[in-house]
């Protein structure tokens, strides 16, 4: 056992002895290097101080003592640093003035290569440059010394660790601990050997990469040299060419001067000729400008005269239409009075009427100027001159067409054109007093669809959901609504004076059917009521899209009209007739007294006006203007226009003193209204004030009265039915008793 321990310990002791020798050698070498470094630092710190702080430029004296350095070495270092620190303190006390002479002395004494008369021979910029070079050199030297000190510190730390390990080996009490330490050292040696081999491999790889880079650098240098040679050759060629050009330019100077003189003379002559031409053109241009100015004046005056003549022609044509309509009206009155006329006179009146009806305006259009001709159909497909079978009605249609033509001719340039320009300037729509006034005057055809869509969307934005209309159509396909039969019956009766609904094969008829069926499912409480087909048809004509027309119908029934307006009882419609009679008695008392005198019930005429908003009662142009304001303001507009219609024809109605004739006149007198501007002025100016609050209060009052009357009628009806039942029962009992007596 002892032999084994001896065999293990003897190599370890040899290694320890070698390690101790190596440590002593490294320690002596480290001390020598430290001494030399301190001497260098002492020499540097004596002269290289930062002004004002006394610290070394390189910061060498700021190195801390290594944690593994023994106490003796730290004392030696402290002794070596003392002169440096004392010198730094003295420099700090002395300040900048004492620092610079010492620095200059060190520069002249520490570097003998510099001549003594440097300050006398060189200027201040040269001195600064030399000092900067010296600063850079010293900085590089200090950096290298710092790196050396760091390496020495690392070596010293490794030696101290080895020393501690050896002391631990010597102080170990048992052989097992020493053997473990030896094994640990052997493992460290093996690891260090492997690390040395790895470093050798890295060194070889780095040498190979360095060799490759050197070769690359040599190639680049050769390439740069080649480029420099080429550049030099090109510069030589440029110099030769420059010399040759200079020589060529210097030789023919005299010849060029002679040629230039001749050329200059010719150019001067050409310039003189061009100046003469320019003066001539200027004179001609002035003459032409004066003529153009005169022609422009003439054209403007002619245009103004043409405009005046067109306006005069329009007025004359309107006057002609008025005279012709009055002539036809006179013939109509003579026709009415024909029973009182002689036979020859009656035949003459009849022939004149036939001649007037056979007159064709299209033949006159070829020769006469037609500023605003009356077309057969308007923009929405309504007939401008309705076709009647009775000659009396034909004459009235002719009179109406002439009045419409006259009013259009007079209002086109004065009213319609400025309104169109104002509408064109309104890009975005927003509620305002200006918009309200424009809508009351009537929306132009090109803007009506956009404005109607905006009105409907703004009022129905809270429940205008996507795909709602399509879902209603799918429900119509799945289930047949009870009102579908009545809808099919009313489709052929819709707008018989419009070409889009006169034929069952028209494109708008299926759209109208789908809109009415979808509304019947949208509002099951109403389903369908006669009159809704006309409202939906007008919406389709203007908006063109099915869904837009559907929402317009919803807006009219659910937002504008009161509740129960289209219910089975039509109670709200009856209430509005009573309210209208109140307003008629206030606004037109003479006409109301005339109706009462002849026992005329105006509700028989006006009920349909309110139910369908004047559809089939007014001509299309005036009807659509009424609808413009009706969609924006509500049912108050219907009251205004109903009163305005009676005001428009008040004098004619007052002249009729037979109740039957009054009823006949009220049947068609709305179709005789041709001046829409006059009717609009009466509705919104002459009928003021017309507060909505008064309308609502009167609706509430008359609704209570009507509901009370209906309740009383129901009670009377129930009582009557009860009495009838009792009478039937009594008669049955009497008949039975008589049979019993007979038996």
């Amino acid at each position: 056992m002892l032999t084994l321990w001896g065999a293990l310990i003897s190599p370890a002791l040899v290694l320890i002895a070698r390690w101790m020798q190596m440590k002593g050698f490294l320690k002596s070498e480290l001390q020598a290097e430290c001494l030399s470094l301190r001497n260098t630092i002492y020499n540097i710190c004596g002269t290289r101080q930062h002004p004002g702080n006394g610290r070394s430029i390189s910061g060498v004296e700021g190195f801390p003592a290594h944690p593994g350095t023994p106490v003796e070495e730290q004392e030696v270092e402290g002794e070596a640093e003392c002169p440096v620190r004392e010198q730094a303190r003295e420099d700090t006390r002395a300040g900048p003035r004492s620092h610079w002479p010492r620095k200059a002395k060190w520069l002249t004494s520490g570097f003998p290569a510099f001549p003594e008369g440097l300050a006398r021979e060189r200027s201040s910029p040269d001195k600064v440059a030399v000092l900067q070079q010296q600063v850079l050199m010293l900085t590089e030297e200090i950096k290298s010394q710092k790196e050396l000190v760091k390496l020495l510190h690392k070596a010293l730390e490794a030696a101290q660790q080895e020393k501690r390990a050896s002391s631990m080996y010597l102080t170990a009490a048992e052989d097992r601990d020493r053997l473990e330490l030896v094994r640990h050292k052997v493992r460290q040696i093996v690891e260090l050997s492997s690390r040395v081999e790895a470093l050798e491999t890295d060194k070889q790889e780095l040498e190979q990469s360095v060799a490759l880079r050197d070769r690359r650098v040599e190639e680049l240098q050769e390439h740069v040299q080649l480029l420099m040679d080429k550049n030099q050759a090109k510069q030589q060629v440029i110099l030769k060419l420059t010399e040759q050009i200079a020589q060529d330019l210097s030789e023919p100077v005299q010849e060029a001067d002679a040629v230039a003189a001749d050329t200059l003379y010719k150019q001067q002559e050409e310039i003189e000729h061009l100046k003469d031409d320019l003066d001539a053109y200027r004179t001609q241009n002035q003459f032409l400008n004066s003529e153009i100015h005169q022609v422009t004046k003439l054209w403007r005056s002619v245009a103004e005269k043409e405009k005046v003549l067109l306006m005069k022609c329009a007025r004359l044509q309107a006057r002609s239409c008025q005279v012709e309509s009055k002539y036809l009206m006179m013939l109509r009155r003579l026709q009415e009075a024909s029973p009182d006329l002689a036979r020859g006179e009656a035949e003459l009146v009849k022939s004149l009427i036939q001649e007037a009806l056979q007159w064709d305006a299209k033949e006159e259009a070829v020769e006469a100027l037609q500023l605003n001709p009356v077309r057969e159909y308007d923009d929405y497909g309504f007939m401008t001159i309705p076709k009647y079978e009775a000659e009396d009605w034909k004459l009235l249609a002719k009179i109406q067409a002439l009045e419409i033509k006259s009013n259009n001719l007079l209002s086109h340039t004065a009213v319609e054109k400025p309104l169109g320009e104002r509408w064109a300037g309104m890009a975005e729509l927003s509620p305002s007093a200006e918009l309200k006034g424009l809508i009351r005057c009537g929306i132009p055809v090109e803007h009506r669809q956009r404005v109607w869509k905006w009105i409907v969307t703004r009022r129905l934005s809270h429940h205008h959901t996507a795909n709602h209309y399509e879902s209603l159509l799918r429900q119509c396909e799945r289930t047949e609504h009870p009102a579908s039969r009545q809808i099919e019956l009313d489709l052929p009766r819709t707008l018989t004076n419009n070409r889009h609904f006169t034929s069952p094969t028209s494109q708008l008829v299926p759209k109208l059917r789908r809109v009415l069926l979808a509304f019947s499912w949208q509002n099951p409480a109403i389903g369908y009521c006669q009159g809704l087909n006309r409202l939906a048809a007008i919406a389709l004509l203007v908006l063109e899209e099915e869904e837009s027309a559907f929402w317009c119908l919803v807006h009219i029934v659910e937002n504008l009209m009161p509740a129960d307006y289209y219910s089975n009882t039509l109670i709200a419609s009856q209430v509005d007739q009573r309210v209208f009679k109140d307003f008629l008695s206030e606004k037109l008392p003479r006409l109301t007294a005339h109706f009462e005198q002849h026992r005329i019930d105006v509700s028989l005429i006006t009920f349909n006006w309110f139910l369908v908003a004047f559809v089939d009662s007014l001509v299309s142009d005036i009807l659509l203007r009424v609808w413009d304001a009706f969609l924006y303001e509500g049912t108050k507009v219907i009251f205004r226009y109903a009163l305005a219609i009676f005001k428009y024809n008040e004098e004619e109605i007052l002249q009729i003193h037979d109740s039957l004739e009054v009823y006949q006149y009220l049947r068609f007198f709305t179709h005789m209204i041709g001046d829409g501007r006059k009717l609009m002025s009466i509705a919104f100016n002459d009928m003021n004030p017309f507060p909505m609050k008064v309308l609502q209060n009167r609706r509430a009052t008359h609704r209570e009265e009507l509901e009370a009357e209906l309740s009383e009628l129901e009670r009377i009806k129930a009582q009557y039915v009860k009495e009838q039942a009792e009478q039937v029962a009594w008669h049955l009992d009497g008949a039975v008793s008589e049979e019993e007596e007979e038996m």
Side-chain angles (χ1 to χ4, degrees), residues 119-135:
R120 295 189 301 272
E121 294 177 0
R122 296 187 178 182
S123 60
S124 58
D126 296 335
K127 293 179 182 179
V128 172
V130 171
L131 292 174
Q132 288 178 352
Q133 291 179 359
Q134 295 299 324
V135 168

Side-chain angles (χ1 to χ4, degrees), residues 34-50 53-63 76-93 99 102 142:
C34 289
L35 288 174
S36 63
L37 182 60
R38 290 192 184 96
N39 291 332
T40 303
I41 292 171
Y42 175 75
N43 292 330
I44 293 170
C45 294
T47 56
R48 301 297 294 170
Q49 298 286 333
H50 263 303
N53 57 9
R55 293 179 63 184
S56 173
I57 294 175
S58 62
V60 174
E61 69 177 11
F63 280 136
V76 173
E77 291 176 2
E79 292 174 0
E81 290 175 358
C82 286
V84 180
R85 293 176 180 174
E86 290 176 0
Q87 185 67 28
R89 295 191 190 97
E90 291 176 1
D91 291 342
T92 305
R93 296 190 195 100
H99 172 70
R102 190 184 303 111
I142 289 170

Side-chain angles (χ1 to χ4, degrees), residues 22 43 60 68 70 75 82 90 144 220 227 239 296 302 316 407 441 471 481 539 562 576 694-695 723 738:
M22 187 181 294
N43 292 330
V60 174
E75 290 176 356
C82 286
E90 291 176 1
S144 61
L220 293 174
L227 293 176
L239 290 173
T296 304
V302 169
L316 290 175
N407 292 322
C441 292
S471 63
H481 196 276
D576 275 359
V694 175
L695 175 61
E723 290 177 355
E738 289 179 357

Side-chain angles (χ1 to χ4, degrees), residues 232-250:
Q232 187 175 3
K234 290 181 180 180
Q235 288 179 356
Q236 291 177 1
V237 172
I238 291 170
L239 290 173
K240 289 180 180 180
L241 292 174
T242 305
E243 292 175 358
Q244 185 177 357
I245 291 171
Q247 185 178 359
D248 294 339
L249 291 175
S250 62

Side-chain angles (χ1 to χ4, degrees), residues 564 569-578 698-714:
D564 299 331
T569 59
L570 299 176
I571 184 172
S573 300
Q574 298 180 47
V575 169
D576 275 359
Q577 294 305 308
R578 297 190 178 191
R698 291 189 178 181
R699 275 177 170 170
T701 303
H702 284 291
R703 188 181 182 91
E704 292 178 358
E705 294 176 358
L706 184 59
E707 288 178 350
E709 292 177 3
L710 291 176
S711 300
E712 182 66 21
L713 288 175
E714 290 293 333

Side-chain angles (χ1 to χ4, degrees), residues 223-236:
H223 184 64
V224 169
Q225 186 64 33
L226 180 61
L227 293 176
M228 291 176 66
D229 294 340
K230 289 182 179 180
N231 189 17
Q232 187 175 3
K234 290 181 180 180
Q235 288 179 356
Q236 291 177 1

